Amino acid sequence: AAAVTGLTANSGKKVEEGVGIDTTGLETAVFAGGCFWCIESDMESVPGVREAVSGYTGGQLPNPTYNQVSSGSTGHVEAVKVYYDPAEISYERPLDAYWSQFDPTDGTGSFVDRGEQYRPVIFYRDDAQRIAAEKSRDALGASGRFSRKLATEILPLNEFYVAEDYHQDYYSKNPLRYKYYRFNSGRDQFLAKTWGEDLQMKT
């Protein structure tokens, strides 16, 4: 895995490694909510989002591999870096969509995926994102949507490492396996029960 940095050679376009699109003028947001296949899939359906990239962040080990992160020993979590067009949407749009993609009350994992590498975290890159994330979390916590206290952390973003190629767009490369995993994890059933018709408004 490699860090998301740099410009392509012989090009005026800013194409970050692992992204594959021109990222000029795009803003980013980083979210963790269990399996990054699922967060990536859901984020890419949000209008105004141009790309979502699966990766690892929050730990100390440089250039971690999937096997290292999944062992739970690196401090990293599976996360998704979202690239969105600020001319179309604000940071609050993917932030709002994020809450309806997992169980924000579970701080010890996500559905069948257990361990701190699957815990929910919003990683902010500046004070504006931190304030927006805290405001959004507090509003959801006060809404009565969940009977348990929210366990989602809000932490400063450090180095984000792009996950291996086979994890990127897993939902479209392996649709049957992805649907089987997602259904059997209990994620979709939980979201449908928790959000009902409101779930359609989030994407």
Side-chain angles (χ1 to χ4, degrees), residues 40-178:
E40 180 187 346
S41 169
D42 289 353
M43 281 297 176
E44 289 193 341
S45 70
V46 176
V49 169
R50 293 287 175 264
E51 185 68 88
V53 178
S54 290
Y56 316 112
T57 191
Q60 301 78 40
L61 182 69
N63 299 303
T65 65
Y66 174 72
N67 288 338
Q68 289 171 324
V69 173
S70 62
S71 73
S73 62
T74 68
H76 292 286
V77 295
E78 288 194 7
V80 172
K81 191 170 189 177
V82 177
Y83 292 80
Y84 65 92
D85 188 344
E88 294 184 27
I89 58 173
S90 67
Y91 172 68
E92 282 77 6
R93 184 68 179 88
L95 175 62
D96 183 53
Y98 165 72
W99 293 116
S100 63
Q101 297 173 10
F102 66 107
D103 179 0
T105 70
D106 188 350
T108 61
S110 187
F111 305 107
V112 295
D113 297 310
R114 311 312 304 168
E116 68 169 11
Q117 68 273 31
Y118 296 111
R119 72 189 194 278
V121 186
I122 298 171
F123 292 96
Y124 61 86
R125 57 180 175 79
D126 54 31
D127 279 344
Q129 285 193 350
R130 176 184 60 79
I131 292 169
E134 291 174 348
K135 181 179 178 181
S136 178
R137 179 189 60 187
D138 293 346
L140 180 61
S143 70
R145 175 81 62 176
F146 298 94
S147 59
R148 297 195 303 169
K149 183 179 179 180
L150 300 187
T152 303
E153 299 174 72
I154 298 175
L155 301 173
L157 178 65
N158 58 17
E159 197 74 33
F160 180 92
Y161 298 96
V162 177
E164 294 82 350
D165 286 347
Y166 68 90
H167 287 301
Q168 308 302 332
D169 296 313
Y170 187 89
Y171 70 97
S172 60
K173 294 176 181 175
N174 304 278
L176 294 180
R177 289 183 179 181
Y178 173 71

